Amino acid sequence: RSMANTSRKSRFSTALSAHWMPSSNKVRKVTSENYPTDAGREGELIFRFVYEMAGCKKPMRRLWISSMEDSAIKEGFSRLKNGEEYDALFASALCRAKADWLIGINATRLFSVLYNHTLNVGRVQTPTLKMLVDRDAAITTFKKEKYYHVRLALSGAEAASEKLSDRSEADRLKAACEALRAVCTSLVKEKKTAAPPKLFDLTSLQREANRLFGYTAKQTLDLAQALYEKRLLTYPRTDSVFLTDDMGDTAAGIIKLLYRKFSFMAGKDFTPELGKVLNSKKVSDHHAIIPTMELAKTDLAALPKSERNILTLAGARLLTATAVPHTFEAVTAVFECAGQSFTARGKTILCEGWKEIDRKYRAALKNKPETDDADSDTEKTLPPFTEGQTFEKPAAKVTEHDTTPPKPHNEASLLSAMEHAGSEDTDPDAERKGLGTPATRAAVIEKLVKGGFVERKGKQLLPTKDGINLVCVLPDTLTSPQLTAEWENNLTQIAKGKANPAAFMEGIEDMARELVKTYPFLSDDKAQMFKPEREALGSCPRCGSPVYEGKKNYYCSNKECIFTMWKNDRFFEERKVAFTTKIAAALLKSGKVNVKKLYSPKTGKTYDGTIVLADTGGKYVNYRVELPKKK
């Protein structure tokens, strides 16, 4: 439940208490109850679980609101619906929960048993892992290729040819152009508009926080949750990028407050266009993430820097989202020379609009003054070319370039990929699209990392060997987002009362049975695929093969070699020294190791000495002690 401010929250609680929690002397008169959960599929499921586990049989009515404005609360109470009108929604939610559990628990158990290794398999995390593996494969198999451009210098502008794969061809074109005439054959001017960005839902907030601050998805969620609990930010677990229609006055008040709080807005003339961010039809369980009026009582400098970053980011997005569009004139000039086309592009900004606020915010973020090139996508203004204009023997040059592989996923790009995965196959009316929900995507990524299937290297997310192997051994059904799309389409029909929940669950159960039947056994080699790689302690002094640690010994991996150092060797036990891997590695590397506090059975005292590996090639390995020479 997103709270615009504290007083509204308390008014809502008071109003709800009057309907939901009657005093003890009125209990017998109550015939129905109202229950406060999110206005959505999962909110319906949470309450129904509580209702059924409590053994409650009372009739119920549903309060369905996504806005915490007074008018919305009052309207919601005026049109309460009987609980049974949401039975179909509950059925779809229950089917989703059961299906996830049935497939997840059976697939995880099946492949973990087959490969003797814990392999977590799930409808969301497995396709997410597949996207990382596919990107890694694309990078690994990428072959760099060179290409060339011929560039003409024309009155201070530069016109480039199409890509050329052959250097000699590019050199010939350059030479030809320098001896001929270039003619402007086309000049196109277009006025273009870049609309302001949408408000933040959780996923877009996580993406932007990752780009600007390097925060992981989980860190951003935790910071947003902390701000929500301080009543400085609205409810963060949302997939909506709009506010409800009745929140115009609230948004306007918050924008005025941000003006006073944000130094980068000082002296800026700004009239917000609130209509761009208000759309009740596009608000699901919760509206977009924005700061609250509680900010008026808060000293931003007193907040932890990480929390301040997220709060300021959400505030800056509210300002840019309600600013005027960025408009510019794009100019494309095409020239013909030596039988080839050359293109020059430029643009002139007509109205900076929302990009001015965004630039000021980023400059303040870096504590740097604004620069003329702060807007990275600004192209140079072209000279006033005219069609038919000619340039005699223009100067030309050849530039060399390399094709570049795809970049590894980071949290921002992976979250975006999860959000849009399978969307083209999902019913437009489906409540959930993509892999996971805004509230669960961060946890999915963390689970993959914790399970050893993904590792972080800086901002990059890379699949491990186990992650790659897991994707390879699983069927396409479990690694494709298509499964989620199919489920969501079916669940949408169930929620509308147009599909049978029992039939859906029968299909899920059949899928689980078929999965187990398809993988009855594996060869010994395949079953060892996920066996942890052993780390050699050193090389065998007899044959040079790797020496590994066993439960009771350190043994040579060469089956024909009998070299073995036993951990419970009498030599070490008599001297009360634990035969550790560190001692074993040192003996294998240099044949000796310095050890402190060796026990002497003869004197009962301890001393420092050097244990020497005195191997004679027999069945047992011998050791001796050398004492330090007296000075």
Side-chain angles (χ1 to χ4, degrees):
R1 292 163 297 282
S2 306
M3 306 301 176
N5 57 44
T6 309
S7 60
R8 187 171 293 115
K9 177 180 178 182
S10 60
R11 290 197 299 274
F12 174 70
S13 300
T14 302
L16 188 61
S17 297
H19 286 261
W20 190 46
M21 295 180 290
S23 58
S24 57
N25 63 337
K26 295 181 180 180
V27 169
R28 292 181 182 178
K29 297 180 181 180
V30 174
T31 58
S32 65
E33 294 193 11
N34 304 301
Y35 50 93
T37 58
D38 294 347
R41 187 174 72 193
E42 301 309 317
E44 190 71 30
L45 181 65
I46 290 170
F47 171 77
R48 297 293 185 118
F49 277 162
V50 174
Y51 181 82
E52 291 186 5
M53 290 300 293
C56 187
K57 302 296 183 184
K58 290 182 179 180
M60 52 190 163
R61 290 183 291 164
R62 183 62 148 119
L63 171 66
W64 191 277
I65 55 174
S66 297
S67 167
M68 298 310 299
E69 297 299 307
D70 290 351
S71 58
I73 296 171
K74 290 176 181 177
E75 184 184 354
F77 276 115
S78 71
R79 52 180 173 83
L80 298 174
K81 292 184 179 180
N82 291 329
E84 58 263 25
E85 293 190 39
Y86 295 92
D87 284 350
L89 183 65
F90 165 57
S92 71
L94 187 60
C95 284
R96 196 278 310 156
K98 286 183 175 181
D100 269 341
W101 188 85
L102 275 172
I103 297 302
I105 196 69
N106 282 288
T108 295
R109 178 67 174 163
L110 169 64
F111 289 99
S112 296
V113 169
L114 287 172
Y115 289 96
N116 301 304
H117 188 82
T118 300
L119 300 175
N120 303 113
V121 181
R123 174 180 59 88
V124 174
Q125 70 179 44
T126 305
T128 301
L129 177 61
K130 176 70 157 51
M131 290 191 290
L132 290 170
V133 171
D134 286 348
R135 178 62 61 87
D136 185 68
I139 295 170
T140 303
T141 59
F142 179 82
K143 292 183 179 180
K144 185 169 66 174
E145 296 179 356
K146 290 190 180 299
Y147 65 93
Y148 308 88
H149 285 294
V150 176
R151 301 179 186 273
L152 305 182
L154 307 171
S155 296
E158 193 173 76
S161 69
E162 297 294 322
K163 288 182 180 180
L164 301 170
S165 58
D166 184 73
R167 176 66 194 235
S168 60
E169 180 186 354
D171 289 336
R172 284 194 299 271
L173 179 59
K174 171 185 177 296
C177 288
E178 289 179 324
L180 297 172
R181 172 190 299 171
V183 182
C184 181
T185 57
S186 172
L187 187 66
V188 178
K189 297 181 179 180
E190 295 179 278
K191 184 178 178 181
K192 294 189 175 182
T193 299
K198 294 286 194 297
L199 294 176
F200 283 131
D201 61 6
L202 178 58
T203 302
S204 57
L205 176 65
Q206 289 169 321
R207 289 202 307 262
E208 194 66 12
N210 180 254
R211 291 190 189 101
L212 290 179
F213 311 116
Y215 297 159
T216 67
K218 184 178 185 302
Q219 287 172 331
T220 299
L221 175 56
D222 290 345
L223 291 169
Q225 178 67 26
L227 289 166
Y228 170 65
E229 291 173 5
K230 292 178 180 179
R231 300 173 184 172
L232 291 169
L233 201 67
T234 58
Y235 189 76
R237 292 171 175 81
T238 175
D239 60 359
S240 298
V241 292
F242 288 93
L243 305 177
T244 52
D245 294 334
D246 54 12
M247 292 184 67
D249 291 342
T250 298
I254 294 169
I255 288 171
K256 287 182 180 178
L257 175 59
L258 294 175
Y259 254 81
R260 300 197 301 269
K261 287 287 184 177
F262 290 169
S263 59
F264 62 85
M265 292 299 292
K268 179 81 174 87
D269 183 21
F270 180 68
T271 302
E273 297 184 354
L274 296 171
K276 296 175 181 176
V277 299
L278 304 178
N279 193 333
S280 294
K281 293 180 180 178
K282 293 188 177 181
V283 176
S284 54
D285 302 25
H286 303 280
H287 60 66
I289 302 170
I290 59 172
T292 72
M293 292 300 293
E294 192 72 16
L295 185 59
K297 310 174 202 173
T298 304
D299 178 9
L300 281 173
L303 289 174
K305 184 179 179 181
S306 55
E307 290 184 13
R308 186 168 67 249
N309 284 342
I310 296 299
L311 185 58
T312 306
L313 178 58
R317 178 53 66 92
L318 177 57
L319 294 173
T320 55
T322 54
V324 297
H326 173 81
T327 58
F328 59 95
E329 183 182 63
V331 181
T332 304
V334 179
F335 302 84
E336 292 291 331
C337 189
Q340 293 288 331
S341 294
F342 298 80
T343 304
R345 290 185 173 87
K347 77 176 186 181
T348 302
I349 294 175
L350 303 176
C351 175
E352 200 166 5
W354 66 268
K355 286 199 173 185
E356 181 185 2
I357 299 174
D358 187 60
R359 190 183 70 248
K360 287 177 177 290
Y361 161 64
R362 291 172 188 265
L365 200 64
K366 298 175 182 178
N367 294 317
K368 294 179 181 178
E370 294 179 60
T371 58
D372 292 337
D373 62 350
D375 192 350
S376 60
D377 67 350
T378 300
E379 297 178 37
K380 292 182 179 180
T381 301
L382 291 183
F385 292 123
T386 57
E387 288 190 17
Q389 186 176 359
T390 61
F391 300 86
E392 296 291 338
K393 299 180 180 180
K397 64 180 179 180
V398 176
T399 55
E400 182 180 290
H401 309 270
D402 290 313
T403 55
T404 55
K407 292 182 179 180
H409 272 301
N410 54 31
E411 300 251 350
S413 63
L414 182 60
L415 285 169
S416 181
M418 292 174 73
E419 184 179 27
H420 297 101
S423 294
E424 65 278 4
D425 300 313
T426 307
D427 190 323
D429 295 334
E431 180 171 333
R432 300 295 180 194
K433 296 180 178 67
L435 294 171
T437 68
T440 61
R441 286 174 188 137
V444 168
I445 295 172
E446 293 303 320
K447 190 171 183 179
L448 287 170
V449 173
K450 188 176 181 180
F453 303 110
V454 174
E455 62 180 344
R456 284 191 175 93
K457 285 191 177 179
K459 286 187 177 182
Q460 297 178 353
L461 290 168
L462 304 173
T464 62
K465 181 181 177 181
D466 279 355
I468 295 170
N469 284 340
L470 178 56
V471 168
C472 290
V473 303
L474 294 177
D476 292 342
T477 308
L478 296 178
T479 61
S480 170
Q482 183 68 35
L483 179 64
T484 289
E486 290 176 1
W487 284 15
E488 286 298 338
N489 292 341
N490 288 327
L491 294 173
T492 299
Q493 296 305 308
I494 292 172
K496 293 179 178 180
K498 296 179 180 179
N500 186 350
F504 174 78
M505 289 311 304
E506 285 176 9
I508 296 298
E509 291 167 8
D510 289 341
M511 179 182 173
R513 292 190 192 96
E514 191 62 31
L515 188 65
V516 176
K517 290 178 183 177
T518 305
Y519 296 86
F521 62 87
L522 293 173
S523 65
D524 290 342
D525 288 343
K526 285 189 176 181
Q528 299 302 314
M529 182 181 291
F530 293 91
K531 188 175 182 180
E533 292 185 0
R534 295 172 300 173
E535 185 176 348
L537 292 175
S539 299
C540 175
R542 297 183 185 180
C543 69
S545 300
V547 173
Y548 297 109
E549 179 181 8
K551 288 185 178 181
K552 297 182 179 180
N553 55 21
Y554 306 103
Y555 63 95
C556 177
S557 57
N558 181 0
K559 294 181 180 180
E560 296 180 0
C561 180
I562 61 172
F563 178 82
T564 304
M565 298 188 296
W566 294 93
K567 293 180 180 179
N568 63 348
D569 191 287
R570 185 177 176 183
F571 175 88
F572 290 93
E573 289 188 341
E574 284 182 349
R575 289 160 179 79
K576 297 184 179 180
V577 173
F579 195 177
T580 62
T581 54
K582 186 176 180 180
I583 291 176
L587 290 173
L588 292 171
K589 182 178 180 180
S590 56
K592 57 185 178 180
V593 58
N594 296 325
V595 180
K596 293 182 178 181
K597 295 184 179 180
L598 291 166
Y599 176 76
S600 172
K602 293 182 179 180
T603 65
K605 297 180 180 180
T606 59
Y607 61 96
D608 297 341
T610 300
I611 296 178
V612 178
L613 178 63
D615 181 38
T616 58
K619 183 177 180 181
Y620 296 102
V621 176
N622 297 318
Y623 311 90
R624 70 171 187 271
V625 176
E626 290 182 352
L627 298 176
K629 294 181 180 178
K630 295 181 180 180
K631 297 182 180 179

